[in-house]
Amino acid sequence: MFDCELSILRDVFKLLPAGVTVQDESGEFVLMNDAAAVLLQPAKTGTASQLSDRRETCLELLRAGRPAVLEEAIAGGSTKQVFLTSHRPIQVAGRNFLISSSTDISEQKAFEDHLFRSAYYDELTGLPTRRVIEHRVNSLLKYDNGQGRFALAFLDVDNFKHINDYYGHPVGDALLVEIAKRLGLDLRESDILSRISGDEFVLLLNPVESVAEVEEFIHFILQRLKAPFFIDQSEIFASTSIGVSLYPEHGRSYEVLRQNADIAMYRVKNGSKGAAALFDASMEREALARMKIEQSLRLAILEKRFCCAFQPKVDIRTQAVTGVEALVRLRDDEGVIQAPSTFINLATELGLIDELTHLVLAEIVKSIDLINETFGADTTISINVAAKQAGNPEFMQPFAEALEATGFPQRFMIEVTEDAFVTKTHIQDEILPIFRKLGVKISIDDFGIGYSSLSALADITADEIKIDRSFITDIHKRPRSQGILRAIESLSEALGMTVIAEGLESFEELAYLQAATKIRYAQGYYFSKPIFLEDLKLATPRASEARASVSSRPAQETRAAYSRSGGYRR
């Protein structure tokens, strides 16, 4: 009976899922079950040292006479196993032994490592995250003895959204990886490069001796990034704007230093881009002023303090109004009208442009009777849509529904700058058909100054091309602009698109268009300034005024004298 029980016990010991070993006072293995044999198989890579480690651990624990729980990592080929081993010294028949039990925790450790990397390392580039660099800077600040000095650089890839839209997100991601590699070259072990968000990086240079040292290294970074990137058979040029702050001159906390480096970077963004700037106090004042504008803009949208001005599109052969463009204006706290140049870019940057566009549409609907009375019930009504919006179905689809809800969607024309058509968005195949179905027309605004070419124009199914005012100004004096104008006019005619000349301001410009081109339509101060809704009733022409002809005005008339009442007729 005893032999039978002993046999069962041996079989159970042998088949235990945990690896169990018993070692004597010299570290030699007395007992070892199958699981432990697999774990400590000498034929496997690296296990010879593993056996040696086990013997050393056994001898140490037997001398100390204490139990221990230790982790053991065993690498075999491309895999890595981690075991949690519990060791306990025991005495049997007057002899000392060490009994050990090992449990495989490889999956648990892999999951823990994944969580750790997710929290502290960027998945795309492998760089440390914001949390790591913030912790490192705070550690430097905590133990600083007043002698330390370091620099914090904030880096932002220029025009990354355009690159992403044009080449696609996979190429954009690959570009970020390549940029990270170049930024990481020549860094010391004490330096840290971190990716803190989409196309933004923070670089800690520690320690630094002088401003000149920092400026020299940043210059090398900028030069390195000027070389093209070759990704997916595309040659891509990408620059980075960099702002730098120094400790302790520009702040004594990570947040202040990062914020000041960010402020310096935005100074570069608003200038030449692809350059670097060191923070100074004047930048902080600019940032505070910008913040005030941001707050005012958000409040203005909340309080709906925006209004519309309308500028006519005129047939230069008959002086008849064929359409009007709605131009958004902002009334500031003092009631002063602000031009869009002061807030449109900021509204786009802050993600407020969608709401602003819907406010413009609401103003048009509210005043449609005045628009019809003044400009005619058949005139088209143009609304500007930013390129960022045009390629975004999440905005364009609800906007199409809002146009349809007006009851007169066929009156509307959407004006979009040409770069919206040359990026890799779905505007041409998916978005435009929605508006075509409603009868909404499409206009290419500011044509000639964007990213496109005449060949790109052939693939665009637009109804109207508005030639940028830079080509129209003094057109009668500029043969090169005249040649460009003829090329655009010919191609547009072949593609069945109407051409409108923007920014017409003088009689000479009008006379040239009438005599030397086939262009029928124009828009500009020569015909009328933008007219505000509240002025429409006052500006409604008398019958005799409405019959007045633009062509009868003297050439020397100044811009200040231009008015709707004498400038065109319905």
Side-chain angles (χ1 to χ4, degrees), residues 29-241:
F29 288 92
V30 178
L31 293 174
M32 179 184 298
N33 70 352
D34 289 354
V38 172
L39 166 64
L40 299 172
Q41 176 62 258
K44 284 195 172 184
T45 304
T47 49
S49 62
Q50 186 71 20
L51 289 170
S52 177
D53 291 342
R54 273 292 184 98
R55 290 191 181 96
E56 292 295 327
T57 301
C58 171
L59 296 175
E60 182 181 341
L61 293 176
L62 287 177
R63 282 194 298 267
R66 59 179 176 82
V69 178
L70 305 173
E71 280 189 12
E72 296 178 293
I74 301 175
S78 60
T79 62
K80 176 183 177 182
Q81 285 183 291
V82 182
F83 294 87
L84 187 66
T85 303
S86 176
H87 302 280
R88 180 178 293 275
I90 59 173
Q91 275 192 343
V92 177
R95 295 181 62 186
N96 293 320
F97 295 95
L98 184 72
I99 183 169
S100 306
S101 175
S102 301
T103 303
D104 191 341
I105 59 170
S106 302
E107 289 188 10
Q108 178 184 336
K109 292 299 294 184
F111 182 65
E112 290 176 0
D113 289 344
H114 173 71
L115 290 180
F116 178 83
R117 292 201 63 82
S118 297
Y120 296 104
Y121 290 89
D122 174 52
E123 183 178 359
L124 178 65
T125 62
L127 294 176
T129 61
R130 180 198 307 263
R131 186 180 301 181
V132 176
I133 198 167
E134 182 175 358
H135 176 76
R136 176 61 178 153
V137 171
N138 286 334
S139 297
L140 292 174
L141 297 173
K142 182 178 180 180
Y143 297 107
D144 178 52
N145 58 7
Q147 303 299 317
R149 198 176 189 202
F150 61 82
L152 205 64
F154 194 102
L155 307 93
D156 185 276
V157 181
D158 299 322
N159 301 319
F160 182 71
K161 185 187 183 306
H162 174 71
I163 293 171
N164 234 357
D165 289 343
Y166 186 81
Y167 293 100
H169 288 278
V171 172
D173 287 347
L175 176 62
L176 289 175
V177 171
E178 293 304 312
I179 288 175
K181 290 178 181 178
R182 291 193 191 181
L183 292 176
L185 293 175
D186 301 326
L187 294 184
R188 302 164 295 183
E189 289 187 5
S190 56
D191 300 329
I192 295 180
L193 175 65
S194 169
R195 182 186 179 215
I196 63 170
S197 66
D199 61 340
E200 294 178 335
F201 300 83
V202 171
L203 173 62
L204 168 66
L205 298 175
N206 173 61
V208 296
E209 297 294 332
S210 64
V211 174
E213 175 191 353
V214 176
E215 291 177 338
E216 182 180 10
F217 186 76
I218 296 298
H219 174 74
F220 285 147
I221 288 178
L222 291 173
Q223 292 300 114
R224 188 179 294 143
L225 292 176
K226 284 185 177 179
F229 295 85
F230 295 93
I231 299 173
D232 194 22
Q233 300 181 338
S234 297
E235 184 180 24
I236 302 173
F237 290 86
S239 63
T240 301
S241 296

Side-chain angles (χ1 to χ4, degrees), residues 116-388:
F116 178 83
R117 292 201 63 82
S118 297
Y120 296 104
Y121 290 89
D122 174 52
E123 183 178 359
L124 178 65
T125 62
L127 294 176
T129 61
R130 180 198 307 263
R131 186 180 301 181
V132 176
I133 198 167
E134 182 175 358
H135 176 76
R136 176 61 178 153
V137 171
N138 286 334
S139 297
L140 292 174
L141 297 173
K142 182 178 180 180
Y143 297 107
D144 178 52
N145 58 7
Q147 303 299 317
R149 198 176 189 202
F150 61 82
L152 205 64
F154 194 102
L155 307 93
D156 185 276
V157 181
D158 299 322
N159 301 319
F160 182 71
K161 185 187 183 306
H162 174 71
I163 293 171
N164 234 357
D165 289 343
Y166 186 81
Y167 293 100
H169 288 278
V171 172
D173 287 347
L175 176 62
L176 289 175
V177 171
E178 293 304 312
I179 288 175
K181 290 178 181 178
R182 291 193 191 181
L183 292 176
L185 293 175
D186 301 326
L187 294 184
R188 302 164 295 183
E189 289 187 5
S190 56
D191 300 329
I192 295 180
L193 175 65
S194 169
R195 182 186 179 215
I196 63 170
S197 66
D199 61 340
E200 294 178 335
F201 300 83
V202 171
L203 173 62
L204 168 66
L205 298 175
N206 173 61
V208 296
E209 297 294 332
S210 64
V211 174
E213 175 191 353
V214 176
E215 291 177 338
E216 182 180 10
F217 186 76
I218 296 298
H219 174 74
F220 285 147
I221 288 178
L222 291 173
Q223 292 300 114
R224 188 179 294 143
L225 292 176
K226 284 185 177 179
F229 295 85
F230 295 93
I231 299 173
D232 194 22
Q233 300 181 338
S234 297
E235 184 180 24
I236 302 173
F237 290 86
S239 63
T240 301
S241 296
I242 305 176
V244 182
S245 62
L246 297 173
Y247 171 80
E249 296 96 312
H250 302 143
R252 293 181 176 271
S253 71
Y254 170 79
E255 191 55 38
V256 171
L257 288 166
R258 187 207 59 78
Q259 181 177 331
N260 288 340
D262 191 15
I263 289 171
M265 185 275 295
Y266 269 103
R267 165 72 72 86
V268 177
K269 281 283 189 185
N270 294 330
S272 58
K273 296 185 179 180
L278 189 67
F279 175 79
D280 63 49
S282 65
M283 296 179 182
E284 187 172 20
R285 291 191 293 270
E286 290 178 8
L288 290 174
R290 172 189 167 90
M291 187 179 300
K292 184 178 179 181
I293 294 173
E294 287 184 17
Q295 292 171 344
S296 298
L297 182 58
R298 293 183 187 277
L299 185 61
I301 289 179
L302 185 64
E303 297 177 349
K304 295 180 171 56
R305 285 194 279 108
F306 289 90
C307 55
C308 282
F310 292 86
Q311 190 172 37
K313 299 177 180 179
V314 179
D315 185 327
I316 63 175
R317 314 290 171 175
T318 66
Q319 284 73 54
V321 176
T322 60
V324 290
E325 180 181 359
L327 303 168
V328 66
R329 300 289 188 266
L330 168 64
R331 293 187 187 276
D332 64 18
D333 297 336
E334 286 75 35
V336 178
I337 299 294
Q338 300 290 333
S341 59
T342 63
F343 61 84
I344 286 293
N345 289 339
L346 184 58
T348 303
E349 183 180 325
L350 296 176
L352 302 174
I353 192 67
D354 291 357
E355 189 170 355
L356 186 54
T357 305
H358 280 287
L359 285 177
V360 171
L361 178 59
E363 284 291 301
I364 292 171
V365 173
K366 183 174 68 176
S367 306
I368 189 63
D369 290 338
L370 281 174
I371 294 171
N372 291 343
E373 180 183 350
T374 307
F375 300 108
D378 296 326
T379 55
T380 59
I381 304 170
S382 296
I383 299 180
N384 288 282
V385 171
K388 180 180 180 180

Side-chain angles (χ1 to χ4, degrees), residues 162 166 417-423 444-458 460 465 488:
H162 174 71
Y166 186 81
T417 53
E418 54 187 299
D419 49 321
F421 293 92
V422 296
T423 57
I444 307 174
D445 197 13
D446 300 332
F447 186 81
I449 62 170
Y451 296 99
S452 74
S453 62
L454 292 181
S455 60
L457 182 61
I460 299 173
I465 294 176
I488 297 174

